[in-house]
Coordinates of all heavy atoms in Angstrom, one line a residue:
A309 N -118.8 -93.2 -185.2 CA -119.4 -92.3 -184.1 C -120.9 -92.7 -183.9 O -121.5 -93.1 -184.8 CB -119.3 -90.9 -184.4
G310 N -121.4 -92.6 -182.7 CA -122.8 -92.8 -182.3 C -123.6 -91.7 -182.9 O -123.1 -90.6 -183.1
G311 N -124.8 -92.1 -182.9 CA -125.9 -91.0 -183.5 C -126.0 -89.8 -182.8 O -126.3 -88.8 -183.4
S312 N -125.7 -89.7 -181.4 CA -125.9 -88.5 -180.7 C -124.7 -87.8 -180.4 O -124.7 -86.8 -179.8 CB -126.5 -88.9 -179.5 OG -125.7 -89.8 -178.6
V313 N -123.5 -88.2 -181.0 CA -122.3 -87.6 -180.7 C -122.3 -86.2 -181.3 O -121.8 -85.3 -180.6 CB -121.1 -88.5 -181.2 CG1 -119.8 -87.6 -181.4 CG2 -120.9 -89.7 -180.5
E314 N -122.8 -86.0 -182.6 CA -122.7 -84.7 -183.1 C -123.7 -83.8 -182.4 O -123.4 -82.5 -182.4 CB -123.2 -84.9 -184.6 CG -123.2 -83.5 -185.4 CD -121.8 -82.9 -185.4 OE1 -120.8 -83.6 -185.3 OE2 -121.8 -81.5 -185.2
T315 N -124.8 -84.3 -181.8 CA -125.6 -83.3 -181.0 C -124.9 -82.8 -179.7 O -125.0 -81.6 -179.5 CB -126.9 -84.1 -180.5 OG1 -127.7 -84.5 -181.7 CG2 -127.7 -83.2 -179.7
R316 N -124.1 -83.7 -179.2 CA -123.4 -83.2 -177.9 C -122.2 -82.3 -178.5 O -122.0 -81.4 -177.7 CB -122.8 -84.4 -177.2 CG -124.1 -85.2 -176.5 CD -123.4 -86.3 -175.6 NE -122.5 -87.3 -176.2 CZ -123.1 -88.4 -176.7 NH1 -124.3 -88.8 -176.6 NH2 -122.3 -89.3 -177.2
W317 N -121.7 -82.5 -179.6 CA -120.6 -81.6 -179.9 C -121.1 -80.3 -180.3 O -120.6 -79.2 -180.2 CB -119.8 -82.2 -181.1 CG -118.7 -81.6 -181.6 CD1 -118.5 -80.9 -182.9 CD2 -117.5 -81.0 -180.9 NE1 -117.4 -80.3 -183.0 CE2 -116.6 -80.3 -181.8 CE3 -117.1 -81.2 -179.7 CZ2 -115.4 -79.7 -181.4 CZ3 -115.9 -80.7 -179.3 CH2 -115.1 -80.0 -180.1
A318 N -122.3 -80.3 -180.9 CA -123.1 -79.0 -181.2 C -123.2 -78.2 -179.9 O -123.1 -77.1 -180.0 CB -124.5 -79.3 -181.9
M319 N -123.6 -79.0 -178.8 CA -123.8 -78.1 -177.6 C -122.4 -77.5 -177.1 O -122.4 -76.5 -176.6 CB -124.3 -79.1 -176.5 CG -124.5 -78.5 -175.1 SD -125.3 -79.6 -173.9 CE -126.9 -79.7 -174.5
D320 N -121.4 -78.3 -177.2 CA -120.0 -77.8 -176.9 C -119.7 -76.7 -177.9 O -119.3 -75.6 -177.3 CB -119.0 -78.9 -177.2 CG -118.8 -79.9 -176.0 OD1 -119.2 -79.5 -174.9 OD2 -118.4 -80.9 -176.3
R321 N -120.0 -76.6 -179.1 CA -119.8 -75.5 -180.0 C -120.7 -74.3 -179.6 O -120.2 -73.1 -179.6 CB -120.1 -75.9 -181.5 CG -118.9 -76.8 -182.0 CD -119.0 -77.1 -183.4 NE -120.2 -77.9 -183.8 CZ -121.1 -77.8 -184.7 NH1 -120.9 -76.7 -185.5 NH2 -122.0 -78.6 -185.0
D322 N -121.8 -74.6 -179.1 CA -122.7 -73.6 -178.6 C -122.2 -72.8 -177.4 O -122.0 -71.5 -177.4 CB -124.2 -74.0 -178.3 CG -124.9 -74.3 -179.5 OD1 -124.7 -73.7 -180.6 OD2 -125.9 -75.2 -179.5
V323 N -121.6 -73.5 -176.4 CA -121.1 -73.1 -175.2 C -119.8 -72.2 -175.7 O -119.5 -71.2 -175.2 CB -120.8 -74.2 -174.1 CG1 -120.1 -73.6 -173.0 CG2 -122.1 -74.7 -173.8
F324 N -119.1 -72.8 -176.5 CA -117.7 -72.2 -176.9 C -118.1 -70.9 -177.5 O -117.5 -69.8 -177.3 CB -117.0 -73.0 -177.8 CG -115.9 -72.4 -178.5 CD1 -114.7 -71.9 -177.9 CD2 -116.0 -72.3 -179.8 CE1 -113.8 -71.2 -178.5 CE2 -114.9 -71.6 -180.5 CZ -113.8 -71.1 -179.9
T325 N -119.1 -70.8 -178.4 CA -119.5 -69.6 -179.2 C -119.8 -68.5 -178.2 O -119.3 -67.3 -178.2 CB -120.6 -69.9 -180.1 OG1 -120.3 -70.8 -181.0 CG2 -121.0 -68.6 -180.8
M326 N -120.7 -68.9 -177.2 CA -121.2 -67.8 -176.3 C -120.0 -67.3 -175.4 O -119.8 -66.2 -175.2 CB -122.3 -68.4 -175.5 CG -123.5 -68.6 -176.1 SD -125.0 -69.0 -175.1 CE -124.5 -70.7 -174.6
Y327 N -119.1 -68.3 -174.9 CA -118.0 -67.7 -174.1 C -117.0 -66.9 -174.9 O -116.6 -65.9 -174.4 CB -117.3 -68.8 -173.4 CG -116.3 -68.5 -172.5 CD1 -116.8 -67.9 -171.1 CD2 -115.0 -68.7 -172.5 CE1 -115.9 -67.5 -170.2 CE2 -114.0 -68.2 -171.6 CZ -114.6 -67.7 -170.5 OH -113.7 -67.3 -169.5
H328 N -116.6 -67.4 -176.0 CA -115.8 -66.5 -176.9 C -116.5 -65.2 -177.2 O -115.6 -64.2 -177.1 CB -115.4 -67.3 -178.3 CG -114.4 -66.9 -179.1 ND1 -114.6 -65.8 -180.1 CD2 -113.1 -67.0 -179.1 CE1 -113.5 -65.4 -180.6 NE2 -112.5 -66.2 -180.2
M329 N -117.6 -65.1 -177.6 CA -118.2 -63.8 -177.8 C -118.1 -62.9 -176.6 O -118.0 -61.7 -176.7 CB -119.6 -63.9 -178.5 CG -119.6 -64.6 -179.8 SD -121.4 -64.8 -180.4 CE -121.9 -63.2 -180.3
A330 N -118.4 -63.5 -175.5 CA -118.5 -62.8 -174.3 C -117.1 -62.2 -173.9 O -117.0 -61.1 -173.5 CB -119.1 -63.7 -173.0
L331 N -116.1 -63.0 -174.2 CA -114.8 -62.5 -174.0 C -114.4 -61.3 -175.0 O -113.8 -60.3 -174.6 CB -113.7 -63.5 -174.1 CG -113.5 -64.5 -172.9 CD1 -112.4 -65.5 -173.3 CD2 -113.2 -63.8 -171.7
A332 N -114.9 -61.4 -176.2 CA -114.6 -60.5 -177.2 C -115.3 -59.1 -177.0 O -114.8 -58.2 -177.1 CB -115.1 -61.0 -178.6
E333 N -116.6 -59.3 -176.2 CA -117.3 -58.1 -176.0 C -117.0 -57.6 -174.5 O -117.6 -56.5 -174.0 CB -118.8 -58.4 -176.0 CG -119.2 -58.7 -177.5 CD -120.5 -59.4 -177.6 OE1 -121.3 -59.5 -176.5 OE2 -121.0 -59.6 -178.6
G334 N -116.2 -58.3 -173.8 CA -115.9 -57.8 -172.4 C -117.1 -58.0 -171.4 O -117.2 -57.5 -170.5
T335 N -118.0 -59.0 -171.7 CA -119.1 -59.2 -170.9 C -119.1 -60.7 -170.2 O -120.0 -61.0 -169.6 CB -120.4 -59.2 -171.7 OG1 -120.3 -60.1 -172.8 CG2 -120.6 -57.8 -172.4
A336 N -117.9 -61.3 -170.3 CA -117.9 -62.6 -169.7 C -117.8 -62.5 -168.2 O -117.2 -61.6 -167.5 CB -116.5 -63.3 -170.0
L337 N -118.6 -63.3 -167.5 CA -118.8 -63.3 -166.0 C -117.5 -63.8 -165.4 O -116.8 -64.6 -165.8 CB -120.0 -64.2 -165.7 CG -121.3 -63.8 -166.1 CD1 -122.4 -64.8 -165.7 CD2 -121.8 -62.5 -165.6
P338 N -117.1 -63.2 -164.3 CA -116.1 -63.6 -163.5 C -116.1 -65.1 -163.2 O -117.3 -65.5 -162.9 CB -116.1 -62.7 -162.3 CG -117.0 -61.6 -162.6 CD -118.0 -62.2 -163.5
Q339 N -115.0 -65.7 -163.1 CA -114.9 -67.1 -162.8 C -114.4 -67.2 -161.2 O -113.3 -66.9 -160.9 CB -113.8 -67.8 -163.6 CG -114.3 -67.9 -165.0 CD -113.2 -68.5 -165.9 OE1 -112.0 -68.0 -165.7 NE2 -113.5 -69.3 -166.9
P340 N -115.4 -67.5 -160.4 CA -115.0 -67.4 -159.0 C -114.1 -68.5 -158.6 O -114.0 -69.6 -159.1 CB -116.4 -67.6 -158.3 CG -117.3 -68.3 -159.4 CD -116.8 -68.0 -160.5
R341 N -113.4 -68.3 -157.3 CA -112.5 -69.4 -156.9 C -113.3 -70.6 -156.5 O -112.9 -71.7 -156.6 CB -111.7 -68.7 -155.6 CG -110.8 -67.6 -156.0 CD -110.1 -67.3 -154.7 NE -109.1 -66.1 -155.2 CZ -107.9 -66.2 -155.7 NH1 -107.4 -67.3 -155.7 NH2 -107.2 -65.1 -155.9
R342 N -114.5 -70.3 -155.9 CA -115.4 -71.5 -155.6 C -116.9 -71.0 -155.6 O -117.2 -69.8 -155.6 CB -115.1 -71.9 -154.1 CG -115.3 -70.9 -153.1 CD -114.9 -71.4 -151.6 NE -113.6 -71.9 -151.7 CZ -112.6 -71.1 -151.3 NH1 -112.7 -69.8 -151.2 NH2 -111.3 -71.5 -151.3
D343 N -117.7 -72.0 -155.9 CA -119.2 -71.7 -156.1 C -119.8 -71.4 -154.8 O -119.4 -71.8 -153.7 CB -119.9 -72.8 -156.8 CG -119.5 -73.0 -158.2 OD1 -119.1 -72.1 -158.9 OD2 -119.6 -74.1 -158.7

Side-chain angles (χ1 to χ4, degrees):
S312 60
V313 169
E314 183 54 37
T315 298
R316 293 191 292 273
W317 183 240
M319 180 177 289
D320 278 337
R321 288 188 287 138
D322 285 331
V323 175
F324 168 64
T325 300
M326 288 187 292
Y327 189 70
H328 188 274
M329 291 178 60
L331 285 181
E333 298 167 0
T335 58
L337 295 177
Q339 297 168 320
R341 295 181 184 272
R342 59 182 60 88
D343 289 334

